[in-house]
């Protein structure tokens, strides 16, 4: 199957900036289209104005990530309504799960029978 990576600005530029280092190799694409599938890579909470990781409350970070997801999908000719599966890596603070669910439900209705499946993990950020 043919794979077509897409540049999604400003996200592609931000990812490339953060992907520099001796152990980080290969290209990074926020979106790859393969046939009728649109695959979106992990997206950090970039500030859309500066390209820096947004140092804002967790709820705002979640909004930024989901807005970037929406931008990626729409640029690829898709939409949030077509998402089949969403893998979420959340901070280790268990209080963030409820806050994330509230934001997530604004983008993907949890009571919709055709909403995306979701897996959520606690992650520990490297510093």
């Amino acid at each position: 199957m043919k794979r077509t990576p897409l540049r999604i600005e400003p996200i592609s530029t931000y990812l490339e900036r953060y992907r520099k280092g001796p152990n980080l190799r290969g290209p990074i694409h926020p979106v790859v289209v393969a046939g009728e599938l649109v695959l979106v890579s992990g997206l950090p909470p970039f500030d859309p104005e500066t390209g820096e990781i947004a140092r804002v409350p967790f709820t705002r970070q979640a909004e930024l990530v989901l807005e970037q997801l929406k931008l990626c999908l729409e640029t690829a000719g898709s939409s949030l309504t077509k998402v089949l599966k969403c893998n979420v890596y959340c901070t280790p603070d268990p209080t963030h799960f409820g806050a994330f669910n509230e934001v997530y439900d604004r983008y993907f209705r949890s009571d919709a029978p055709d909403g995306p499946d979701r897996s959520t993990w606690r992650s520990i950020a490297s510093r």
Side-chain angles (χ1 to χ4, degrees):
M1 179 180 301
K2 180 182 176 191
R3 297 177 188 176
T4 306
L6 300 181
R7 284 194 66 81
I8 310 292
E9 292 304 341
I11 297 167
S12 294
T13 298
Y14 300 159
L15 288 172
E16 288 165 357
R17 182 184 320 154
Y18 283 94
R19 181 115 168 125
K20 301 205 185 293
N23 297 321
L24 302 173
R25 296 187 294 264
I28 183 165
H29 305 288
V31 176
V32 175
V33 177
E36 294 184 18
L37 295 175
V38 177
L39 303 144
V40 181
S41 295
L43 301 166
F46 288 130
D47 179 315
E49 301 298 319
T50 67
E52 299 298 320
I53 299 293
R55 303 290 180 212
V56 295
F58 175 80
T59 301
R60 180 64 185 134
Q61 288 186 346
E63 291 168 345
L64 288 169
V65 168
L66 291 169
E67 283 298 320
Q68 291 172 30
L69 173 63
K70 182 178 174 187
L71 172 65
C72 288
L73 291 168
E74 289 174 354
T75 302
S78 190
S79 70
L80 291 170
T81 62
K82 295 180 181 179
V83 172
L84 298 174
K85 172 78 170 152
C86 192
N87 293 325
V88 177
Y89 296 88
C90 203
T91 66
D93 184 341
T95 64
H96 287 164
F97 281 80
F100 180 78
N101 286 336
E102 289 178 18
V103 174
Y104 186 88
D105 285 349
R106 283 189 260 142
Y107 291 84
F108 301 105
R109 286 189 28 229
S110 61
D111 62 345
D114 60 346
D117 288 333
R118 182 179 96 185
S119 298
T120 306
W121 293 276
R122 286 175 47 187
S123 67
I124 299 173
S126 60
R127 296 182 194 249

